[in-house]
Amino acid sequence: MRLVGDEDVKMKINVLIVLSIFVIIAISIACFGAEVSEKQDIAIFGLTYYNYSIPSEILGYIDSSISNVFINLKRFNVLGYGNYRIEEKDIDEFIERIREIKAKEAYEAGTYDEKFGTVVIKGEDFEKIVNSFIVVIPTLSNYTPTVRRIEIETERGKSYIEQYNVELVIDITFIDVKRGVKAESIRISGSGTSTSFREANKEAIDSAISTLSYRIRQLESFKIRSIIIEKRGDRVIFQPGKNFGIKPGDEYEVLIKKELGRTGKIVEVPSGLIRVKKVFPEYSEGKLLIKKGDITEGDKLVEIAKLGITIGFTGGFMQVDIPDMNYSIILVDDLYRYTEGTVLESLSNYYYIKLNQKERNYAPVFTLDIQKSLGYRFKGILDISGVVNLPLFGILGEAGFGASFYKRRLSLTIQGEGGFLYMTTFRKPLYDYNLLFDTLLIGGEEIDYNKDPVASIYGTSVGLRGGVSLDFLFNHGFSLSFGANYRVYTPIKRWSILIEETSGSNPSSVTIESDSPNVLELPESEGMKMVRISGYELRCSLKLRF
């Protein structure tokens, strides 16, 4: 006698759930008769390159790169025919022959060959091509390799290297075999530069191919279409799944049928947005983010092709601690030795920089926020911010990760980032006071006042930022966000002063620190003080979703 344990019960329950889902899928498709994407055969020809002189290994790399894009999409059975290269002028003849074969359907496979220009396609291959879904014919429309000599300095003196630049353009034509027509076409382009001709070609090809997957998914012929087979609250189940290339984070538009006025004409209108949460081999689970109407089982789904990138334009205020520095910094000659009791007016050889920095506790901040989807919930974040406080202007670069929690149009995002602050006055003019000579020796470098010297004061800081934001989704391409962050950054205690001539030949420059002997400390000039940016930040963002 065998006792039934908890594990056995759980296993039976899981089996029943899976069987139930497949039954629902079968019944829904049978009942509603809606279009559900299925894998179709796609025949990919080799790249036609006309009279361009292109190395065979580069040609093979282009062929394999294009095929790999279609294979990785997982929505096609890819038939590779890289040995056939049909020129663009022969495409119409190729289509016409497909029409003839489709119309007659009276040929014997393998008993004949078909000729298109200089290309002869074997009969058994032509039969498979004619019975495929789409034929892909890539054509090299431009291939421009150039080389130039670049002078470099070596231990043995001057030398020269060759730098290669490659630019290419590929046109890809899609032939709808079933209808016997040229369906659509796209153009991709790329460029590459390297001291190796092979690497320059590879970089140009990779640059062009990097956009191909997104461009393919934008085409109507290749968009995934499905129906809702189960809906419970905001949870939606639909077919297909992982085996078809669907990934967490993908989005689908919901189409429902409505009567157009009182005309009796039924049309499909966008009424919702679904974001894929989980994928299984044969089906997917999504969450309803937007619901405009009565969405139910049987409603159509259409893929929204996206790069998974969100670009936000953000404005707000951040807490800072910038002390009053409304005075001038005095720079003295290397030979000058300041002793206590020296009267300022007796100094005869120095420059000064007007700071004019008033005390600040808050500063406006404007940010370019770039986010990359890493699935349903997680995202990578890059923020580039400008801290608008003059004359001390700050540039912040922060990168990290975030996690979002969805409730229909609203989502709450928690994020953490590490960052780097560069704060500067930019260029400020140098003023002289009773200069005895036209030059001033600073940090061992001679600065000529007649060459219009300027000074840039800058300091750096590193730290962390954590925050939360609340997003409201208007549609699949646009959202509005409100957020609060808190920064913990190291204070800027030690500043650098870059002094450089701006005119004449061979302008000199030198960098000294704010605690250098060349920076004179007087009651009228207290030097550069410590600045902090740690504290709260409030922001509002307009986000575009691509």
PDB file of all heavy atoms in Angstrom, residues 448-469:
ATOM      1  N   ASP A 448      51.755  84.430 -19.840  1.00  0.00           N
ATOM      2  CA  ASP A 448      51.903  85.756 -20.449  1.00  0.00           C
ATOM      3  C   ASP A 448      50.553  86.468 -20.426  1.00  0.00           C
ATOM      4  O   ASP A 448      49.584  85.988 -21.013  1.00  0.00           O
ATOM      5  CB  ASP A 448      52.418  85.604 -21.876  1.00  0.00           C
ATOM      6  CG  ASP A 448      52.805  86.942 -22.502  1.00  0.00           C
ATOM      7  OD1 ASP A 448      52.443  87.996 -21.940  1.00  0.00           O
ATOM      8  OD2 ASP A 448      53.463  86.925 -23.553  1.00  0.00           O
ATOM      9  N   TYR A 449      50.511  87.609 -19.783  1.00  0.00           N
ATOM     10  CA  TYR A 449      49.253  88.340 -19.663  1.00  0.00           C
ATOM     11  C   TYR A 449      48.784  88.867 -21.020  1.00  0.00           C
ATOM     12  O   TYR A 449      47.589  89.065 -21.248  1.00  0.00           O
ATOM     13  CB  TYR A 449      49.403  89.499 -18.689  1.00  0.00           C
ATOM     14  CG  TYR A 449      48.085  90.194 -18.409  1.00  0.00           C
ATOM     15  CD1 TYR A 449      47.137  89.594 -17.588  1.00  0.00           C
ATOM     16  CD2 TYR A 449      47.784  91.429 -18.987  1.00  0.00           C
ATOM     17  CE1 TYR A 449      45.922  90.211 -17.343  1.00  0.00           C
ATOM     18  CE2 TYR A 449      46.569  92.048 -18.750  1.00  0.00           C
ATOM     19  CZ  TYR A 449      45.642  91.438 -17.926  1.00  0.00           C
ATOM     20  OH  TYR A 449      44.441  92.039 -17.691  1.00  0.00           O
ATOM     21  N   ASN A 450      49.719  89.088 -21.958  1.00  0.00           N
ATOM     22  CA  ASN A 450      49.358  89.588 -23.280  1.00  0.00           C
ATOM     23  C   ASN A 450      48.661  88.520 -24.128  1.00  0.00           C
ATOM     24  O   ASN A 450      48.173  88.822 -25.218  1.00  0.00           O
ATOM     25  CB  ASN A 450      50.600  90.091 -24.017  1.00  0.00           C
ATOM     26  CG  ASN A 450      51.183  91.335 -23.350  1.00  0.00           C
ATOM     27  OD1 ASN A 450      50.446  92.221 -22.935  1.00  0.00           O
ATOM     28  ND2 ASN A 450      52.506  91.387 -23.236  1.00  0.00           N
ATOM     29  N   LYS A 451      48.650  87.276 -23.652  1.00  0.00           N
ATOM     30  CA  LYS A 451      47.995  86.190 -24.387  1.00  0.00           C
ATOM     31  C   LYS A 451      46.631  85.851 -23.777  1.00  0.00           C
ATOM     32  O   LYS A 451      46.162  84.721 -23.847  1.00  0.00           O
ATOM     33  CB  LYS A 451      48.889  84.954 -24.413  1.00  0.00           C
ATOM     34  CG  LYS A 451      50.152  85.142 -25.244  1.00  0.00           C
ATOM     35  CD  LYS A 451      50.966  83.861 -25.328  1.00  0.00           C
ATOM     36  CE  LYS A 451      52.199  84.059 -26.193  1.00  0.00           C
ATOM     37  NZ  LYS A 451      53.017  82.811 -26.294  1.00  0.00           N
ATOM     38  N   ASP A 452      46.003  86.826 -23.155  1.00  0.00           N
ATOM     39  CA  ASP A 452      44.632  86.718 -22.653  1.00  0.00           C
ATOM     40  C   ASP A 452      44.413  85.477 -21.788  1.00  0.00           C
ATOM     41  O   ASP A 452      43.604  84.597 -22.121  1.00  0.00           O
ATOM     42  CB  ASP A 452      43.631  86.698 -23.817  1.00  0.00           C
ATOM     43  CG  ASP A 452      43.805  87.894 -24.733  1.00  0.00           C
ATOM     44  OD1 ASP A 452      43.927  89.011 -24.212  1.00  0.00           O
ATOM     45  OD2 ASP A 452      43.834  87.701 -25.971  1.00  0.00           O
ATOM     46  N   PRO A 453      45.115  85.373 -20.662  1.00  0.00           N
ATOM     47  CA  PRO A 453      44.957  84.176 -19.824  1.00  0.00           C
ATOM     48  C   PRO A 453      43.575  84.129 -19.147  1.00  0.00           C
ATOM     49  O   PRO A 453      42.983  85.162 -18.832  1.00  0.00           O
ATOM     50  CB  PRO A 453      46.067  84.319 -18.783  1.00  0.00           C
ATOM     51  CG  PRO A 453      46.304  85.792 -18.693  1.00  0.00           C
ATOM     52  CD  PRO A 453      46.069  86.333 -20.071  1.00  0.00           C
ATOM     53  N   VAL A 454      43.083  82.906 -18.945  1.00  0.00           N
ATOM     54  CA  VAL A 454      41.832  82.682 -18.231  1.00  0.00           C
ATOM     55  C   VAL A 454      42.070  81.581 -17.207  1.00  0.00           C
ATOM     56  O   VAL A 454      43.065  80.846 -17.263  1.00  0.00           O
ATOM     57  CB  VAL A 454      40.689  82.269 -19.189  1.00  0.00           C
ATOM     58  CG1 VAL A 454      40.354  83.386 -20.156  1.00  0.00           C
ATOM     59  CG2 VAL A 454      41.035  80.982 -19.922  1.00  0.00           C
ATOM     60  N   ALA A 455      41.122  81.461 -16.261  1.00  0.00           N
ATOM     61  CA  ALA A 455      41.228  80.430 -15.229  1.00  0.00           C
ATOM     62  C   ALA A 455      39.910  79.665 -15.138  1.00  0.00           C
ATOM     63  O   ALA A 455      38.827  80.247 -15.261  1.00  0.00           O
ATOM     64  CB  ALA A 455      41.580  81.047 -13.887  1.00  0.00           C
ATOM     65  N   SER A 456      40.017  78.365 -14.937  1.00  0.00           N
ATOM     66  CA  SER A 456      38.848  77.512 -14.697  1.00  0.00           C
ATOM     67  C   SER A 456      39.059  76.819 -13.358  1.00  0.00           C
ATOM     68  O   SER A 456      40.069  76.149 -13.150  1.00  0.00           O
ATOM     69  CB  SER A 456      38.692  76.464 -15.802  1.00  0.00           C
ATOM     70  OG  SER A 456      38.586  77.083 -17.061  1.00  0.00           O
ATOM     71  N   ILE A 457      38.105  76.992 -12.447  1.00  0.00           N
ATOM     72  CA  ILE A 457      38.195  76.362 -11.129  1.00  0.00           C
ATOM     73  C   ILE A 457      37.248  75.161 -11.129  1.00  0.00           C
ATOM     74  O   ILE A 457      36.084  75.282 -11.523  1.00  0.00           O
ATOM     75  CB  ILE A 457      37.799  77.357 -10.029  1.00  0.00           C
ATOM     76  CG1 ILE A 457      38.709  78.583 -10.091  1.00  0.00           C
ATOM     77  CG2 ILE A 457      37.866  76.701  -8.655  1.00  0.00           C
ATOM     78  CD1 ILE A 457      38.303  79.715  -9.180  1.00  0.00           C
ATOM     79  N   TYR A 458      37.732  74.000 -10.701  1.00  0.00           N
ATOM     80  CA  TYR A 458      36.875  72.814 -10.729  1.00  0.00           C
ATOM     81  C   TYR A 458      37.214  71.881  -9.577  1.00  0.00           C
ATOM     82  O   TYR A 458      38.323  71.885  -9.033  1.00  0.00           O
ATOM     83  CB  TYR A 458      37.009  72.078 -12.069  1.00  0.00           C
ATOM     84  CG  TYR A 458      38.382  71.545 -12.368  1.00  0.00           C
ATOM     85  CD1 TYR A 458      38.752  70.251 -11.983  1.00  0.00           C
ATOM     86  CD2 TYR A 458      39.315  72.317 -13.047  1.00  0.00           C
ATOM     87  CE1 TYR A 458      40.004  69.751 -12.265  1.00  0.00           C
ATOM     88  CE2 TYR A 458      40.583  71.829 -13.324  1.00  0.00           C
ATOM     89  CZ  TYR A 458      40.929  70.533 -12.938  1.00  0.00           C
ATOM     90  OH  TYR A 458      42.183  70.050 -13.211  1.00  0.00           O
ATOM     91  N   GLY A 459      36.210  71.097  -9.191  1.00  0.00           N
ATOM     92  CA  GLY A 459      36.369  70.091  -8.157  1.00  0.00           C
ATOM     93  C   GLY A 459      35.474  68.905  -8.448  1.00  0.00           C
ATOM     94  O   GLY A 459      34.507  69.009  -9.219  1.00  0.00           O
ATOM     95  N   THR A 460      35.762  67.771  -7.862  1.00  0.00           N
ATOM     96  CA  THR A 460      35.005  66.544  -8.130  1.00  0.00           C
ATOM     97  C   THR A 460      34.535  65.895  -6.831  1.00  0.00           C
ATOM     98  O   THR A 460      35.111  66.113  -5.761  1.00  0.00           O
ATOM     99  CB  THR A 460      35.851  65.542  -8.925  1.00  0.00           C
ATOM    100  OG1 THR A 460      37.032  65.216  -8.183  1.00  0.00           O
ATOM    101  CG2 THR A 460      36.240  66.109 -10.280  1.00  0.00           C
ATOM    102  N   SER A 461      33.493  65.087  -6.972  1.00  0.00           N
ATOM    103  CA  SER A 461      32.908  64.400  -5.826  1.00  0.00           C
ATOM    104  C   SER A 461      32.251  63.111  -6.317  1.00  0.00           C
ATOM    105  O   SER A 461      31.837  63.021  -7.475  1.00  0.00           O
ATOM    106  CB  SER A 461      31.866  65.308  -5.151  1.00  0.00           C
ATOM    107  OG  SER A 461      31.167  64.620  -4.135  1.00  0.00           O
ATOM    108  N   VAL A 462      32.175  62.121  -5.457  1.00  0.00           N
ATOM    109  CA  VAL A 462      31.505  60.861  -5.789  1.00  0.00           C
ATOM    110  C   VAL A 462      30.508  60.531  -4.689  1.00  0.00           C
ATOM    111  O   VAL A 462      30.632  61.016  -3.552  1.00  0.00           O
ATOM    112  CB  VAL A 462      32.505  59.696  -5.957  1.00  0.00           C
ATOM    113  CG1 VAL A 462      33.406  59.930  -7.152  1.00  0.00           C
ATOM    114  CG2 VAL A 462      33.325  59.500  -4.694  1.00  0.00           C
ATOM    115  N   GLY A 463      29.510  59.716  -5.028  1.00  0.00           N
ATOM    116  CA  GLY A 463      28.531  59.372  -4.006  1.00  0.00           C
ATOM    117  C   GLY A 463      27.448  58.451  -4.516  1.00  0.00           C
ATOM    118  O   GLY A 463      27.550  57.853  -5.596  1.00  0.00           O
ATOM    119  N   LEU A 464      26.384  58.351  -3.745  1.00  0.00           N
ATOM    120  CA  LEU A 464      25.260  57.468  -4.036  1.00  0.00           C
ATOM    121  C   LEU A 464      23.961  58.264  -4.022  1.00  0.00           C
ATOM    122  O   LEU A 464      23.850  59.286  -3.323  1.00  0.00           O
ATOM    123  CB  LEU A 464      25.181  56.330  -3.005  1.00  0.00           C
ATOM    124  CG  LEU A 464      26.393  55.410  -2.888  1.00  0.00           C
ATOM    125  CD1 LEU A 464      26.219  54.473  -1.695  1.00  0.00           C
ATOM    126  CD2 LEU A 464      26.589  54.607  -4.172  1.00  0.00           C
ATOM    127  N   ARG A 465      22.993  57.751  -4.784  1.00  0.00           N
ATOM    128  CA  ARG A 465      21.668  58.355  -4.780  1.00  0.00           C
ATOM    129  C   ARG A 465      20.622  57.256  -4.745  1.00  0.00           C
ATOM    130  O   ARG A 465      20.703  56.259  -5.468  1.00  0.00           O
ATOM    131  CB  ARG A 465      21.444  59.207  -6.038  1.00  0.00           C
ATOM    132  CG  ARG A 465      20.095  59.933  -6.022  1.00  0.00           C
ATOM    133  CD  ARG A 465      19.837  60.686  -7.302  1.00  0.00           C
ATOM    134  NE  ARG A 465      19.424  59.803  -8.384  1.00  0.00           N
ATOM    135  CZ  ARG A 465      18.890  60.233  -9.533  1.00  0.00           C
ATOM    136  NH1 ARG A 465      18.744  61.521  -9.742  1.00  0.00           N
ATOM    137  NH2 ARG A 465      18.548  59.381 -10.468  1.00  0.00           N
ATOM    138  N   GLY A 466      19.636  57.417  -3.886  1.00  0.00           N
ATOM    139  CA  GLY A 466      18.501  56.510  -3.824  1.00  0.00           C
ATOM    140  C   GLY A 466      17.223  57.305  -3.950  1.00  0.00           C
ATOM    141  O   GLY A 466      17.174  58.477  -3.565  1.00  0.00           O
ATOM    142  N   GLY A 467      16.187  56.680  -4.506  1.00  0.00           N
ATOM    143  CA  GLY A 467      14.955  57.434  -4.664  1.00  0.00           C
ATOM    144  C   GLY A 467      13.779  56.586  -5.075  1.00  0.00           C
ATOM    145  O   GLY A 467      13.896  55.390  -5.347  1.00  0.00           O
ATOM    146  N   VAL A 468      12.609  57.245  -5.092  1.00  0.00           N
ATOM    147  CA  VAL A 468      11.372  56.623  -5.549  1.00  0.00           C
ATOM    148  C   VAL A 468      10.677  57.589  -6.501  1.00  0.00           C
ATOM    149  O   VAL A 468      10.842  58.810  -6.396  1.00  0.00           O
ATOM    150  CB  VAL A 468      10.426  56.278  -4.374  1.00  0.00           C
ATOM    151  CG1 VAL A 468      11.043  55.238  -3.472  1.00  0.00           C
ATOM    152  CG2 VAL A 468      10.076  57.535  -3.576  1.00  0.00           C
ATOM    153  N   SER A 469       9.931  57.028  -7.443  1.00  0.00           N
ATOM    154  CA  SER A 469       9.163  57.871  -8.360  1.00  0.00           C
ATOM    155  C   SER A 469       7.831  57.206  -8.668  1.00  0.00           C
ATOM    156  O   SER A 469       7.710  55.981  -8.649  1.00  0.00           O
ATOM    157  CB  SER A 469       9.945  58.111  -9.657  1.00  0.00           C
ATOM    158  OG  SER A 469      10.202  56.900 -10.328  1.00  0.00           O
TER     159      SER A 469
END
